[in-house]
Amino acid sequence: MSIDANRAENKASVPLQYLNELNPSYYDNNYQRTDVRIDELTGDKLGKKLLPNELHSNSESSAESSAAAAFTQEYIDAISKSHPISTTPPDLKTFKPPPITHWTGDTLDLDEITLDYEKVTTNESDASEALSNLYTHGLCLIKNTPSSESSIYDLSLLFTGPSKIPLSPSSSRDVYTSNSGPLRTLFGSTWSTTTNPTLQGSQTSHSDSAYTQSSLPLHTDSTYFSTPPGLQIFCMKTPASDKSGKSTYLDGFSATSLLKKKYPDSYDILKSTIFKYRYIDNETGWHLEAEGTIICVDGTSLEENVKSIRHNDLDRVGCLPPRGIRGDEVKVEEFYRKVEEALERWDEVINEEGRKVVVGLEEGDCMVVYNRRCMHGREAFNLKQEEEGRSIVGCYTGADELESRWRCLFTT
């Protein structure tokens, strides 16, 4: 049995059982379920869930328990639509984010996603616009950013932590009490990618091609983390004097959409094949590994929805065929042939003329990148002997915190 969401743009069918699980009468004021039977002394779970008529005794609450019948068409449409993040708003509220903008280097207007540091850090509407830009485009360029690690730390507060309790920078940098700020990784809380070894921290890892003058292919960061960072915030502190080393960016959602349309079989391969990713630093003692598909779809959304990209050719180790065909040489050979073909077609889409945008970041330019959607890279750069080194100051922030801020901002 189902309730049909039959608007012209959305013909998804929402199961009644799923709606019943969202029934507001099943949750308390903290949005924890009240229909689960638990032994009051031991905490053991007891048998079946409570029925709606067992939850409440008065008629008013009994009316609430039939709220599944009161789900509005607006709510049904909202939970049926495709979003980069999944959400089931409580209390019959609806998640109404702005539409996603797929872009290429030929279509992206940088002015549309550019804001000023002082305004973003002091004005609530500008801060909300920065979050909105990251949702719609996956990028936000913030000009006139002070190139200190403390300023980058303060900027990270806009995208992390609770949305209703603003923290003052002076009180939020204590890692023991703060519930917001940068994600702590092997590179530190805040970091500087520079070719000058005197400016690199001695306790953090530098076993990465970002610390060289070489070009970097388009990629997402930290593919070797079980949960890669949500944002990469990086501010140009010292550009190369000859303007070399320009940054490159690419919309992974747009590329995925084209791959699905042009090569659907390759799209299916990259959304189902699990690859291993690895990072090793023998000098400081790190060995990180994680696995995941290059294209990650939301298994809980009512329509197939790409929610993230995990792509780095330099860190990807390989993949194994499904267990059911291991030992069958013919099927294994065919599996690897299809994987190789899918990767070649993925490269074809990524390398398409005009797909990436090339940006020459100037001092004080801070590009905030939604790492689970947009890839970034770099052209090679040259330094004169007297130059200290091309330096970028930055940090990561958590994916869950970013999604929380989006849900709070766009739920009405």
Side-chain angles (χ1 to χ4, degrees), residues 143-193:
K143 306 284 283 186
N144 304 311
T145 304
S147 56
S148 63
E149 293 193 16
S150 60
S151 297
I152 298 304
Y153 198 118
D154 293 345
L155 186 61
S156 74
L157 301 178
L158 298 178
F159 314 112
T160 59
S163 64
K164 294 184 178 180
I165 308 178
L167 298 175
S168 62
S170 59
S171 66
S172 61
R173 295 189 193 130
D174 185 344
V175 297
Y176 299 105
T177 61
S178 176
N179 59 356
S180 60
L183 184 68
R184 298 180 70 187
T185 71
L186 67 162
F187 303 111
S189 294
T190 54
W191 34 258
S192 175
T193 57

Side-chain angles (χ1 to χ4, degrees), residues 302-372:
L302 294 166
E303 294 181 345
E304 183 168 284
N305 174 41
V306 175
K307 69 174 183 179
S308 66
I309 305 296
R310 186 194 292 255
H311 172 75
N312 192 329
D313 289 317
L314 304 184
D315 295 332
R316 190 173 63 238
V317 177
C319 62
L320 286 170
R323 289 186 175 87
I325 68 170
R326 294 176 193 176
D328 187 323
E329 291 185 12
V330 174
K331 290 183 178 179
V332 167
E333 184 69 27
E334 178 66 7
F335 166 78
Y336 281 113
R337 184 193 67 78
K338 289 181 177 179
V339 169
E340 188 63 30
E341 180 182 63
L343 290 172
E344 289 176 357
R345 288 173 171 175
W346 180 232
D347 287 341
E348 175 191 323
V349 170
I350 291 174
N351 294 326
E352 182 183 63
E353 186 71 24
R355 179 155 293 277
K356 69 181 179 183
V357 63
V358 181
V359 183
L361 295 177
E362 301 176 351
E363 183 178 351
D365 285 354
C366 181
M367 187 66 84
V368 186
V369 182
Y370 182 27
N371 183 57
R372 294 161 70 84

Side-chain angles (χ1 to χ4, degrees), residues 209 212-216 378-381:
S209 49
T212 70
Q213 294 179 219
S214 303
S215 64
L216 298 177
R378 182 187 69 202
E379 296 179 349
F381 60 93

Side-chain angles (χ1 to χ4, degrees), residues 239-254:
S241 61
D242 65 355
K243 306 298 182 182
S244 60
K246 292 181 179 179
S247 299
T248 57
Y249 306 97
L250 183 139
D251 184 359
F253 286 177
S254 176

